[in-house]
Amino acid sequence: MATDTVKLPERPHEHAMDAVGTEPVRPVMSFYVYEWPVRIWHWLTALLVVALSLTGYFIASPPASVAGDTSALFTFGQIREWHFIAAWLLTIGVVFRAYWAVVGGEHARLIYYVPFWSKQWWSDVFLVVKWYLFLNKGEKWVGHNPLARASMFGMFTLGSLAMVVTGFGLYAEQAGVDSWLRGAFGWTLSLFGSSMALRTWHHAGMYLLLAFSAIHLYAAVRDDIMGRVSTVSSMISGWRTFRDFHDE
Amino acid sequence: MARVETFYEVLRRHGVSRRSFVQFCSLTAASLGLKPAFAEELAQAMQVKPRIPVLWLHGLECTCCSESFIRSAHPLAKDVVLSLISLDYDDTIMAAAGEQAEQCLEDVRREYKGKYLLCVEGNAPLADDGVYCITGGRPFVEQLKDYAADAMAVVSWGSCASWGCVQAAKPNPTHAVPVHEIVRDKPVIKVPGCPPIAEVMTGVISYILTFDRLPELDRQGRPKMFYGQRIHDKCYRRGHFDAGQFVEAWDDDGARQGWCLYKLGCRGPTTYNACSTVRWNDGVSFPIQSGHGCIGCSEKDFWDNGPFYERLANVNLFGAEANADGWAKGAAAVVGAGMAVHAGISAVVRLRDKERHDTHLPPKGGTP
């Protein structure tokens, strides 16, 4: 925990009165959670997941045919090329983010493993599950709550890694049989049995990441309102603010 | 058996001139994708090497591999069967039958122990002790094991021997398994396809017999020279794919113009085979050229990755069948409804507990 940067509270309005003038407005408790490289990575990845899903969907279900001179057209090829460019960028992001998990702060590591054997962690997960089921008033967590951490690790970290690996498996198919790409990722064909099965699972992986994105978005907005903690804005500023706690 | 003749001797005996022989070597080398210098090596090998005996076994299969093989134009099956290889046993096309045929099999195994090539067409069903395929009075799996044990190498003809094919498609009632799952201690060369292309079959055999070594195989155990690329990579309709010009229905204008069959489920992009380069029936055509998409017959589990006329394969989950998009729609409905209900309850709870703000403990996981 020592690596965590802690904001020293500023109290410019400590003695100011609110609109009605009954209570002083107190500064709220804040923590620096998301370092700037993580924030940039987060939004780039979000953008790339949208781009990859769109182009990927069209690769599986091509848009209506275009009429015209075949040799002058590159419509479907263009969609595929965008997919490949976005995929390379996402891959660079995945590698960079893993690097940052090593050199970055404590919170940067959370989504790379779960303390599966820790009883404390499981009881924390249980607390959060109960909170989402409206069975308790909820704990507050500076970084991801334990359940969020588990879903990010399982659905996003492993999910995006699986997409990169299966994606490169498919990408390697168009490279020669003796290419380095086939050497590095050709094993995915053996793993899934056939190129067709590899495609099916890569396609299903897209839906896994989209499902994660939907849940992620819902939980973030909900936490902002129900948990009275900054979530969406914290991925822009880096600061997590607890509206109900005050530095005294 | 007397001294085994060389390829050259047999060819000469059949009235082939020296000139024709050298031409044949050049052609064969070219069809195998070898450098021009190899034509000479091929000629040399054929002049000095005795022919290697081949046993051709038939398991659970439809004989389409044999049908394809005898239609080879290049080199002619006649030359391969009668001259290049010493096909000592093939119960479908040999003259002998019954006891005599079985005797032939036994003779080769005894005299050429460790030196003959075992070609297997079809596969062995294992359920109920293998009774679903009986050859020579006993389960085929036993015959396969016996003759593989003394072979130099095994060639798996077709998708049956290579992957299992239709008899191994779900639910695989006879528990048919491909050859490499039974023969584990010998090199197995897979030549998949339903059937494989004739020139690919004769090409593989010519290569093995000429050079005394197996062709270079890919990760899946298929000869790289014929299975290194997908049909899609060399498809003459590829330009329409990149342009985004697809046949949308079998009778539309795109179909008449020969546009890409991707949207109608063509498996060219997922199928490793030489159809788009070698083609069929002496290079006349191949399925895509005839206006029908590839069904991926040389791919593992191609029967289970249907429907053939749709881009996305169906996936069977919880006893229901739909493609990935179909399952995603269902999942989206469930997740969406769940989130909506959860959001509604959240709003109600929040309105009820509006005054609870000041009662919390400090946050966990960080030091203020």
Side-chain angles (χ1 to χ4, degrees), chain B residues 58-89:
Chain B
H58 297 258
L60 212 55
E61 47 98 348
C62 72
T63 318
C64 76
C65 299
S66 292
E67 289 287 342
S68 175
F69 186 75
I70 60 175
R71 276 158 186 74
S72 174
H74 194 36
L76 286 164
K78 175 175 74 74
D79 292 331
V80 178
V81 177
L82 300 176
S83 315
L84 278 178
I85 66 174
S86 167
L87 188 57
D88 294 293
Y89 178 91

Side-chain angles (χ1 to χ4, degrees), chain A residues 202-215:
Chain A
H202 189 68
H203 197 73
M206 169 181 83
Y207 288 120
L208 176 81
L209 285 188
L210 288 181
F212 168 78
S213 304
I215 295 167

Side-chain angles (χ1 to χ4, degrees), chain A:
Chain A
M1 307 230 173
T3 52
D4 202 19
T5 315
V6 173
K7 186 187 183 186
L8 292 172
E10 294 166 25
R11 308 182 176 198
H13 305 297
E14 188 153 10
H15 302 293
M17 294 294 180
D18 64 12
V20 189
T22 53
E23 207 184 333
V25 172
R26 293 174 299 176
V28 290
M29 194 182 278
S30 287
F31 301 85
Y32 188 58
V33 176
Y34 303 117
E35 298 143 304
W36 66 266
V38 173
R39 272 136 54 200
I40 291 175
W41 166 82
H42 173 270
W43 294 111
L44 271 180
T45 302
L47 202 69
L48 289 170
V49 167
V50 171
L52 284 163
S53 299
L54 270 176
T55 52
Y57 181 80
F58 280 127
I59 289 170
S61 310
S65 292
V66 276
D69 180 10
T70 307
S71 61
L73 290 167
F74 193 57
T75 310
F76 196 59
Q78 191 63 67
I79 293 172
R80 294 174 71 240
E81 193 177 11
W82 285 331
H83 191 77
F84 299 147
I85 292 170
W88 271 108
L89 291 176
L90 185 92
T91 306
I92 293 168
V94 164
V95 173
F96 166 78
R97 186 60 183 78
Y99 161 76
W100 195 259
V102 177
V103 302
E106 167 210 355
H107 291 290
R109 271 188 283 283
L110 288 183
I111 63 167
Y112 282 86
Y113 69 98
V114 286
F116 193 82
W117 307 111
S118 153
K119 268 190 182 160
Q120 180 59 44
W121 184 74
W122 279 105
S123 82
D124 286 349
V125 168
F126 197 58
L127 271 180
V128 180
V129 170
K130 278 173 112 173
W131 182 61
Y132 280 119
L133 293 176
F134 312 101
L135 297 176
N136 64 24
K137 299 253 178 214
E139 294 279 354
K140 298 291 167 206
W141 314 86
V142 171
H144 304 302
N145 74 48
L147 187 66
R149 180 179 177 181
S151 80
M152 282 178 195
F153 172 74
M155 289 175 87
F156 180 77
T157 307
L158 295 185
S160 59
L161 190 69
M163 287 306 269
V164 166
V165 170
T166 53
F168 269 93
L170 295 170
Y171 190 61
E173 290 198 290
Q174 58 190 352
V177 69
D178 293 315
S179 63
W180 71 267
L181 270 170
R182 197 76 78 81
F185 295 99
W187 56 269
T188 52
L189 273 186
S190 318
L191 183 69
F192 288 89
S194 68
S195 171
M196 198 66 196
L198 185 56
R199 267 169 181 71
T200 302
W201 286 105
H202 189 68
H203 197 73
M206 169 181 83
Y207 288 120
L208 176 81
L209 285 188
L210 288 181
F212 168 78
S213 304
I215 295 167
H216 177 57
L217 214 65
Y218 171 70
V221 171
R222 183 182 180 275
D223 267 23
D224 218 315
I225 301 166
M226 296 284 286
R228 299 187 51 76
V229 51
S230 76
T231 51
V232 182
S233 67
S234 68
M235 200 37 99
I236 296 170
S237 70
W239 290 89
R240 169 138 303 147
T241 305
F242 293 85
R243 291 196 284 278
D244 291 340
F245 304 114
H246 308 280
D247 294 312
E248 299 292 354

Side-chain angles (χ1 to χ4, degrees), chain A residues 6 59-60 62-63 65-66 68 70 75-77 132 134 140 142 173 178 182-183 190 196 203 207 218 222 245, chain B residues 219-220 224 228 240-246 248 262-263 270 272 311 325 342-343 345-346 360-361 364 367-368:
Chain A
V6 173
I59 289 170
S65 292
V66 276
T70 307
T75 310
F76 196 59
Y132 280 119
F134 312 101
K140 298 291 167 206
V142 171
E173 290 198 290
D178 293 315
R182 197 76 78 81
S190 318
M196 198 66 196
H203 197 73
Y207 288 120
Y218 171 70
R222 183 182 180 275
F245 304 114
Chain B
R219 269 199 180 85
Q220 277 73 31
K224 274 185 187 175
H240 295 296
F241 172 85
D242 288 330
Q245 297 177 317
F246 303 100
E248 313 272 350
Y262 185 76
K263 273 193 180 178
T270 54
Y272 290 83
R311 183 72 258 141
D325 286 353
H342 198 261
I345 300 173
S346 299
H360 304 296
L361 296 166
K364 286 184 176 181
T367 323

Side-chain angles (χ1 to χ4, degrees), chain B residues 21-359:
Chain B
F21 169 71
V22 174
Q23 277 177 347
F24 167 77
C25 291
S26 309
L27 271 175
T28 305
S31 82
L32 290 171
L34 302 172
K35 284 182 283 190
F38 275 97
E40 236 172 276
E41 200 180 312
L42 198 65
Q44 175 67 17
M46 288 189 164
Q47 287 176 72
V48 299
K49 278 191 191 162
R51 294 183 300 162
I52 300 171
V54 173
L55 295 183
W56 189 308
L57 302 184
H58 297 258
L60 212 55
E61 47 98 348
C62 72
T63 318
C64 76
C65 299
S66 292
E67 289 287 342
S68 175
F69 186 75
I70 60 175
R71 276 158 186 74
S72 174
H74 194 36
L76 286 164
K78 175 175 74 74
D79 292 331
V80 178
V81 177
L82 300 176
S83 315
L84 278 178
I85 66 174
S86 167
L87 188 57
D88 294 293
Y89 178 91
D90 184 336
D91 51 32
T92 310
I93 58 174
M94 74 197 298
E99 298 287 332
Q100 283 176 305
E102 293 305 305
Q103 189 56 45
C104 202
L105 206 54
E106 204 40 56
D107 286 348
V108 171
R109 180 159 74 144
R110 200 178 51 248
E111 290 193 32
Y112 301 100
K113 199 172 171 142
K115 292 188 186 121
Y116 64 89
L117 195 61
L118 185 72
C119 294
V120 185
E121 186 176 347
N123 56 25
L126 302 183
D128 300 324
D129 300 321
V131 296
Y132 299 111
C133 184
I134 302 287
T135 50
R138 57 186 185 140
F140 176 65
V141 60
E142 288 177 19
Q143 189 189 34
L144 177 60
K145 279 181 184 163
D146 275 4
Y147 289 95
D150 292 330
M152 167 181 81
V154 181
V155 177
S156 288
W157 283 146
S159 292
C160 295
S162 299
W163 306 124
C165 206
V166 67
Q167 60 272 43
K170 283 172 194 152
N172 192 358
T174 63
H175 191 205
V177 293
V179 169
H180 65 272
E181 286 181 25
I182 292 170
V183 181
R184 295 181 183 278
D185 55 347
K186 296 281 167 176
V188 176
I189 304 137
K190 296 189 190 114
V191 186
C194 192
I197 303 170
E199 284 73 17
V200 169
M201 299 174 81
T202 53
V204 168
I205 285 222
S206 305
Y207 187 97
I208 297 169
L209 297 181
T210 308
F211 297 113
D212 270 342
R213 62 164 187 261
L214 308 180
E216 207 187 335
L217 306 178
D218 68 1
R219 269 199 180 85
Q220 277 73 31
R222 305 169 293 198
K224 274 185 187 175
M225 60 181 85
F226 297 115
Y227 296 91
Q229 279 187 313
R230 300 168 301 170
I231 288 170
H232 186 62
D233 295 316
K234 289 281 167 64
C235 182
Y236 79 105
R237 295 193 184 195
R238 178 63 190 259
H240 295 296
F241 172 85
D242 288 330
Q245 297 177 317
F246 303 100
V247 178
E248 313 272 350
W250 295 110
D251 54 354
D252 70 359
D253 199 46
R256 275 185 284 278
Q257 301 214 24
W259 283 1
C260 176
L261 295 158
Y262 185 76
K263 273 193 180 178
L264 293 180
C266 177
R267 299 291 193 257
T270 54
T271 304
Y272 290 83
N273 209 336
C275 301
S276 52
T277 45
V278 177
R279 309 197 183 193
W280 289 78
N281 301 318
D282 203 8
V284 169
S285 183
F286 71 113
I288 295 167
Q289 195 174 339
S290 312
H292 186 285
C294 166
I295 62 169
C297 76
S298 57
E299 284 292 302
K300 188 171 182 237
D301 305 330
F302 78 100
W303 292 102
D304 295 328
N305 280 318
F308 291 150
Y309 301 107
E310 277 171 35
R311 183 72 258 141
L312 292 169
N314 273 356
V315 181
N316 195 315
L317 291 173
F318 321 115
E321 207 165 77
N323 66 23
D325 286 353
W327 284 114
K329 269 180 209 151
V334 171
V335 172
M339 286 199 303
V341 169
H342 198 261
I345 300 173
S346 299
V348 171
V349 169
R350 182 167 150 72
L351 284 174
R352 200 186 61 199
D353 297 352
K354 204 131 198 204
E355 284 91 45
R356 72 191 178 89
H357 304 347
D358 296 313
T359 57

